[in-house]
Amino acid sequence: MKKIGLITSGGDAPGMNACIRAVVRTACAEHIEVLGFYRGYEGLVDDDHVKLTKSKVANIIHRGGTILKTARSERFMSDKGQQMAVTTIIKNQLDGLIVIGGDGSFRGALALSSHYPLPIVGCPGTIDNDLIGTDFTIGYDTAINNVVDAIDKIRDTAESHERIFVIEVMGRDAGLIALRSAIACGAEAILIPERKDDFEFLLEKKKSWRQTKKSRIIIVAEGDEHGGAMGIGNLLKKEWPDFDIRITILGHIQRGGNPTCMERVNASLMGYYAVKALQNGHANEMIGIINKQVCYTPFKEAVKHIENLNSDMLRILDVLSS
Ligand code: ATP
């Protein structure tokens, strides 16, 4: 293996830079050249790349975002775009490709490999943590810490003014950010796409709330079927006219900022193992870490959207918030 390509694709996630650095430094140690393509699959379609050296990845381990930029590439979704990416691969004589991204990015990798037999290894990079085959995806830990930090601040004002805050967090299809941050913040309830009866559950639960406590935190995943925090907040204003209900959408602040220590370490390990995996003949697999052990999951399995919410954690949230 002499030369590999590297992309970051889909939504940006803190820790992607740490992963890029690990890929480049590991490859350099093995005398493998790394070409970084800009804006995910867009860079492969256009052959827009930079040669990544040890010094090019200096001083990035602590930075959020991705130095390679990222994008959602419409052009790569077509046969023509994928053929253009193959032309880039052949022209640059790539022996392998590492894709840092989420399930969509791995679907893209599968599409690419159906056109050309290039070994591709994935590193799970998404704040949603919605992939099979790893305990934590790159970006998730930082995102939930950002959420906790913001909600702690909101709680101060919620308590002082005795208000109910309905707070929207990211998660179009998955409620994992909502669930974990709710436990960490002592929130009263969550509303998530995976549970269809959670609004009725909340109305029922309110009957057992202590009368003396007037401030409450309710966390809503953006993909909840009631229309996120706006939808839930407006419904609650009608149901509970005696309460002062405020709506806050945390938005993009969640995916920014310096990656946590855990993020940097996980991302570094995954980047290292991705290069080793290509060297050892792995193809069309995603690197993951489960119970501190590296593991390899075929893209076909990793992208299957299963509901991996831990029902114990839902129960525990319910008990602790009563
Ligand atoms: P996130 O979890 O942050 O959303 P993601 O990797 O799932 O990350 P997507 O936008 O779903 O983000 O996918 C990234 C890119 O992968 C898309 O913009 C597209 O270029 C490519 N892609 C996704 N699905 C396919 C597919 N079925 N065929 C070809 N390419 C695809």
Side-chain angles (χ1 to χ4, degrees):
M1 183 145 300
K2 291 198 175 112
K3 202 195 277 185
I4 61 173
L6 173 64
I7 61 170
T8 50
S9 168
D12 68 308
M16 280 181 162
N17 280 328
C19 192
I20 292 170
R21 172 181 175 273
V23 166
V24 173
R25 296 269 164 100
T26 307
C28 287
E30 299 289 333
H31 309 289
I32 299 170
E33 198 179 320
V34 184
L35 300 188
F37 291 84
Y38 288 113
R39 298 174 191 84
Y41 290 111
E42 284 283 293
L44 277 178
V45 172
D46 293 331
D47 191 12
D48 184 11
H49 73 259
V50 57
K51 185 178 166 193
L52 291 172
T53 57
K54 279 187 187 180
S55 59
K56 282 242 166 57
V57 295
N59 286 324
I60 64 167
I61 193 168
H62 61 294
R63 284 168 50 194
T66 158
I67 59 161
L68 286 177
K69 319 284 183 200
T70 186
R72 303 195 192 267
S73 171
E74 275 303 314
R75 288 186 301 157
F76 184 76
M77 301 288 280
S78 70
D79 224 44
K80 186 176 168 218
Q82 289 159 22
Q83 290 293 356
M84 286 168 80
V86 169
T87 305
T88 299
I89 288 161
I90 294 169
K91 182 176 150 203
N92 289 290
Q93 298 178 312
L94 298 184
D95 303 313
L97 177 69
I98 293 175
V99 175
I100 307 170
D103 58 336
S105 302
F106 299 153
R107 276 194 201 93
L110 280 172
L112 185 57
S113 65
S114 72
H115 287 275
Y116 186 76
L118 182 75
I120 308 177
V121 165
C123 293
T126 167
I127 64 166
D128 293 334
N129 206 33
D130 59 349
L131 287 163
I132 302 173
T134 191
D135 287 339
F136 292 101
T137 56
I138 297 167
Y140 178 61
D141 190 59
T142 308
I144 53 177
N145 275 288
N146 285 339
V147 169
V148 168
D149 187 46
I151 294 180
D152 283 350
K153 292 180 174 117
I154 292 170
R155 180 180 283 284
D156 289 345
T157 179
E159 263 187 67
S160 305
H161 282 276
E162 301 191 302
R163 286 173 176 154
I164 292 179
F165 270 83
V166 180
I167 302 170
E168 182 175 301
V169 300
M170 283 186 167
R172 279 175 299 172
D173 305 308
L176 289 161
I177 293 178
L179 177 56
R180 213 168 174 84
S181 55
I183 290 180
C185 295
E188 266 68 30
I190 57 168
L191 294 102
I192 51 178
E194 292 91 337
R195 263 196 353 191
K196 300 301 169 205
D197 62 345
D198 43 18
F199 185 65
E200 291 70 28
F201 186 79
L202 171 60
L203 296 184
E204 198 51 39
K205 177 144 193 204
K206 176 177 172 277
K207 294 177 187 161
S208 61
W209 281 356
R210 277 171 286 132
Q211 296 296 315
T212 45
K213 189 178 176 197
K214 299 268 189 272
S215 73
R216 302 278 170 177
I217 301 287
I218 295 166
I219 301 181
V220 186
E222 64 179 323
D224 182 73
E225 70 280 6
H226 297 90
M230 275 303 201
I232 292 293
N234 289 330
L235 284 172
L236 288 180
K237 283 179 187 178
K238 285 190 195 127
E239 293 283 341
W240 303 340
D242 297 341
F243 282 89
D244 186 358
I245 296 173
R246 301 296 166 113
I247 299 166
T248 301
I249 297 171
L250 293 187
H252 285 81
I253 196 169
Q254 292 164 83
R255 58 191 330 136
N258 300 354
T260 61
C261 173
M262 177 173 147
E263 204 85 86
R264 297 177 200 193
V265 173
N266 275 347
S268 298
L269 296 181
M270 287 177 184
Y272 170 89
Y273 286 125
V275 175
K276 294 286 173 187
L278 279 180
Q279 279 188 308
N280 292 330
H282 288 267
N284 284 335
E285 288 179 342
M286 184 196 87
I287 299 289
I289 297 175
I290 297 179
N291 289 334
K292 298 182 184 158
Q293 297 293 316
V294 61
C295 42
Y296 309 89
T297 305
F299 286 147
K300 279 197 178 98
E301 292 299 313
V303 302
K304 273 186 196 159
H305 193 79
I306 53 143
E307 197 180 294
N308 53 354
L309 266 193
N310 181 328
S311 52
D312 271 357
M313 282 183 62
L314 274 171
R315 240 187 326 276
I316 290 166
L317 171 68
D318 189 36
V319 171
L320 299 187
S321 63
S322 52

